Amino acid sequence: MKILGIETSCDETAAAVVEGKKAGEYFTLRVLSNIISSQIDIHKQYGGVVPEVAAREHVLNIMPVIDSALKKAGLTRERAGKKLSAIAVATGPGLITSLIAGIETAKTLGYAWNLPLIGINHIEGHIYANFINANSKSQATNSKKISNTIKFPAIILTVSGGHTMLVSMNGHGKYQTLGETRDDAAGEAFDKAAQLMGVGYPGGPAVAAEAAKFQISDFRFQNYKKLSNSKVKNSQLKIALPRPMIDSPNFDFSFSGLKTALRYALDKDKNWKQKIPSYAYEFQQAVIDVLIHKTIKAAQKYNIKTIMLAGGVSANTELRKQFKEKIKTQIPHSAFYIPKLSYTTDNAAMIAAAAYFHALRKDFTPWKKIKVDCNAKLK
Ligand code: KG4
Ligand code: ZN
């Protein structure tokens, strides 16, 4: 079954064709094409996504992006209606004017090609990025004890620019939100921290790059000679940021205080510009500590068989590495999945992948019912 996926929730115009096959409890999802037109360079000058600008760009880009996705998958416009089984589109959460561009395009193509539509929750899409190539060894780590399929109950930490959520999954389409952020999302916190330090946009990769400099001992040596030896700790540099809500008796998060703590720390330090890597390192580590601690606690409480990461922040190398290490030592019986890097940030392959499992359940969305839901909840 081949599905065309469309994703325009924020500032990426994306289309993909994914082929799903099922045999018993096993399935394979093959990405035949995955085209993304990024608007990062346009929004960079404003320091964030400008919704009106994003929407106009989607309108310009959507048809060429879909055309490329079809061609790359070996389909033509003339034959697409016969070769595809459905069109999937992200319906929310996201920016209303951005989402509309994708939804109206999906409706029109569905009408013209007489194909069923599948509306997909954007977060569900991020979760299903883990199911792409899930059977391959490279995707699953710590997976010696599992068979080649993702086992439930699973827990997913979704960390993106708009969301930080811990979700438990008891089967395809069966979700329960265990906790979420009370204020800023983890990615948003990275973006704001980057803005405070003036290191670039988008903030996540920029902060991560600065933090990586701190981790290189040469940098520490040159910059902190008096203190420095290979064991120099951030505490010796007197940079210590809080780990918000790390010991709270629930699975909620809060990152806006962390960003404020960073701002106060920078305000107090006349020489902060010379120490950006160490501030970035401490900030990143504070976010990582909270995310890992709470996820592992939830996994232990609910006897989880599989832990998955999802969303743009899961592209963070240190987060991926430290998660792997902690799971190995603290809950070795759990399998751990992280999406391939190209499927962590917004893309349409993840939307088509999620849609494949809806299609198996014959869960299609009539075109009259498909609509934008900016604050869509996972159901
Ligand atoms: O999932 P995504 O592409 O879009 C949303 O649905 O929000 O996530 C974008 C977010 C941005 O906040 C970006 O700064 C963050 O993901 N991000 C990262 C990294 N790469 C992207 N955060 C930390 N480290 C990274 N390497
Ligand atoms: Zn996203």
Side-chain angles (χ1 to χ4, degrees), residues 5-8 12-15 37 56-68 89 98 101-106 109:
I6 298 175
E7 155 63 46
T8 61
E12 323 278 2
T13 318
S37 167
R56 285 169 189 236
E57 285 299 311
H58 285 312
V59 171
L60 290 176
N61 296 332
I62 187 85
M63 286 318 298
V65 164
I66 290 174
D67 209 34
S68 304
V89 63
S98 288
I103 290 176
E104 291 308 314
T105 308
L109 290 178

Side-chain angles (χ1 to χ4, degrees), residues 154-202:
I155 197 172
I156 307 105
L157 173 71
T158 304
V159 269
S160 71
H163 302 274
T164 300
M165 291 172 89
L166 258 179
V167 172
S168 78
M169 189 175 178
N170 285 311
H172 293 290
K174 293 182 187 153
Y175 309 104
Q176 192 196 348
T177 302
L178 304 176
E180 48 195 325
T181 184
R182 295 187 176 179
D183 39 58
D184 293 353
E188 189 179 357
F190 268 103
D191 294 337
K192 287 178 176 168
Q195 219 166 20
L196 287 173
M197 295 186 282
V199 294
Y201 173 87

